[in-house]
Amino acid sequence: MDTTLLIADALDTFRPKFRSLEDDALNLADHARKVARGKVPDAASLRFPALAHARGGAFEQLVAFYLQRGRADLVEAHYKIDEWGRGLPHRHLRSSIRRFVAIGEGPRAVRCWEHYIRKNATMFWDDLRDRDAAAKKLKKDASQQAAFDHHKESFDTSRRVVLEAIALARRYFEAYGTEREKAWLDRVHGEILAEERTRIAQKPLQDQMDDALFWHLVGTGGQTADERLDTLPDRLAAYSAAAIKTFGQMATDRVAEACREDIWALAYLLMDGCSDDAFEYFRNWLVLQGRTVFTSILADPDAFDPATLTGKPLAEGLLNAVEQAFVMRVGKDMPRLRQPKTKRLDPKEDDFAAMLPNLAGRLS
């Protein structure tokens, strides 16, 4: 039975959970097998990531299904999975990006490209380091030619891929990107062509990061969370590498601190739905509201006044902004941060209104 037709038929009766595109791809594959009633002997052939490759456009159908139901956030989140880097098929990424633009979600298209370019730029710098190390060994030992050729081939591939991605992404950045995003793309492009990362030459304003400075940096740089996030890399890069890393750890700890079911209930009720990824973006937004709002919401989320909310309470790329500032300061990737232990949440959406009755009443 044709896979495309099978998925199309299954989509008519498929009921997604809207937790992640990956989970629902698996659910869709199982549902499609049931619809086919055993006509597909190899069930694994429908499993994700098989749907994400060239199987008659099945994955594009699933993406369209999500977008038609207003879940662009989950489609965007799919392209931010760490495992998707050089192996991400350009055809599927570009298809989803075109769909974003068609529904007026141009900034999402830019963010998808930025994440993809970041991942491939990281591979480029890793391969550059390996190529140069292999070249040094080759100078001392002619028998290292094969190893050098291998590393050079990997480097050439990384360079081609990331430059191709930048070329494809540029028109989206120019049409829908912020000034920070445009400047970032130009800087990355120049660094890759020169095979050298730039770094800030000015002396750091301060070597230490404390709680007061953290909240000062969070609360300045714009009226909205997006504006503050947009200017954060430049403002944070004025400090030392140690201070930047400490800022990143403090932000990570506070996002983890807000990982609670009642906070998820708050996000869900305010946005009429909240996926796993959207919950993380919501917690980023909470941090970017500043110390007073962050503390008061964690103390009593049911007291939040929805009348004070303008736009969706989501902020994506908080840690990316910190990592970008670190690269700007020292010219290399920021070391991994310690990940706080958080309780694994599995909230029941039907319970959210009961968790926050005052807020639910205001929104009804």
Side-chain angles (χ1 to χ4, degrees):
M1 186 173 185
D2 182 82
T3 304
T4 306
L5 296 178
L6 175 61
I7 296 297
D9 289 344
L11 281 171
D12 291 336
T13 54
F14 180 56
R15 296 293 180 267
K17 294 182 179 179
F18 291 125
R19 283 295 183 84
S20 76
L21 190 59
E22 289 68 45
D23 286 346
D24 278 328
L26 290 171
N27 295 335
L28 174 58
D30 288 336
H31 181 66
R33 279 195 300 123
K34 294 175 182 177
V35 171
R37 295 182 180 179
K39 294 180 181 178
V40 181
D42 181 11
S45 67
L46 290 177
R47 287 283 183 181
F48 188 86
L51 289 174
H53 295 284
R55 295 191 64 83
F59 184 70
E60 281 85 349
Q61 291 183 54
L62 184 60
V63 169
F65 179 75
Y66 267 58
L67 295 181
Q68 289 166 5
R69 286 153 179 80
R71 301 317 304 260
D73 59 326
L74 292 180
V75 178
E76 179 184 352
H78 166 74
Y79 292 108
K80 292 186 175 180
I81 301 173
D82 286 344
E83 286 77 7
W84 289 84
R86 183 185 300 164
L88 178 64
H90 271 216
R91 180 173 70 83
H92 296 288
L93 174 63
R94 294 170 68 184
S95 173
S96 294
I97 283 174
R98 287 193 294 269
R99 292 178 187 273
F100 281 145
V101 171
I103 62 174
E105 292 275 9
R108 288 192 190 276
V110 173
R111 290 196 296 267
C112 285
W113 272 125
E114 181 173 349
H115 184 76
Y116 179 66
I117 292 169
R118 282 185 186 280
K119 295 298 293 184
N120 281 280
T122 297
M123 295 179 189
F124 169 85
W125 296 116
D126 289 345
D127 287 341
L128 173 62
R129 180 196 61 218
D130 292 343
R131 183 205 66 179
D132 290 349
K136 290 180 180 179
K137 291 181 179 179
L138 180 59
K139 285 183 178 180
K140 298 177 181 179
D141 184 356
S143 68
Q144 296 295 315
Q145 183 67 52
F148 171 78
D149 291 343
H150 168 74
H151 288 298
K152 184 178 183 303
E153 182 179 359
S154 294
F155 167 79
D156 290 343
T157 298
S158 293
R159 186 178 188 278
R160 174 183 56 78
V161 169
V162 71
L163 288 177
E164 176 186 337
I166 289 172
L168 292 170
R170 186 167 294 282
R171 68 185 181 95
Y172 293 95
F173 276 72
E174 292 175 351
Y176 309 107
T178 65
E179 291 306 312
R180 178 200 65 80
E181 289 166 335
K182 295 174 186 176
W184 172 82
L185 187 69
D186 288 339
R187 183 171 65 252
V188 171
H189 190 200
E191 289 175 341
I192 288 171
L193 290 177
E195 297 184 13
E196 183 177 1
R197 282 177 161 173
T198 57
R199 54 183 294 179
I200 294 177
Q202 291 86 354
K203 184 179 179 180
L205 293 177
Q206 188 169 318
D207 290 331
Q208 302 297 320
M209 179 66 57
D210 57 24
D211 197 61
L213 180 56
F214 173 86
W215 286 116
H216 171 73
L217 287 167
V218 163
T220 57
Q223 294 299 314
T224 68
D226 283 342
E227 289 171 342
R228 291 194 290 276
L229 190 60
D230 194 47
T231 61
L232 181 58
D234 287 323
R235 292 183 287 115
L236 189 54
Y239 296 85
S240 71
I244 295 170
K245 185 180 177 183
T246 300
F247 181 99
Q249 189 63 64
M250 295 171 75
T252 300
D253 290 344
R254 285 175 170 83
V255 170
E257 184 182 352
C259 188
R260 300 180 348 204
E261 287 196 358
D262 56 349
I263 301 300
W264 198 328
L266 173 63
Y268 185 94
L269 294 174
L270 289 176
M271 295 185 288
D272 193 25
C274 183
S275 66
D276 295 31
D277 295 288
F279 182 46
E280 180 180 349
Y281 304 153
F282 177 77
R283 288 178 285 143
N284 287 346
W285 175 85
L286 280 184
V287 173
L288 288 164
Q289 298 313 294
R291 188 207 304 261
T292 300
V293 174
F294 179 82
T295 302
S296 63
I297 287 179
L298 262 61
D300 186 5
D302 198 26
F304 182 79
D305 182 1
T308 63
L309 185 64
T310 58
K312 279 205 169 185
L314 300 173
E316 302 168 54
L318 176 56
L319 189 56
N320 280 345
V322 178
E323 292 171 342
Q324 184 178 341
F326 191 92
V327 170
M328 291 167 66
R329 167 51 64 185
V330 300
K332 62 180 181 180
D333 291 334
M334 186 173 73
R336 285 184 176 273
L337 299 173
R338 172 186 51 80
Q339 294 303 310
K341 290 184 178 180
T342 57
K343 180 182 178 181
R344 181 174 178 81
L345 303 181
D346 188 19
K348 303 297 185 290
E349 296 168 358
D350 292 342
D351 297 337
F352 283 160
M355 284 185 193
L356 307 177
N358 181 58
L359 177 65
R362 289 187 177 194
L363 293 172
S364 63

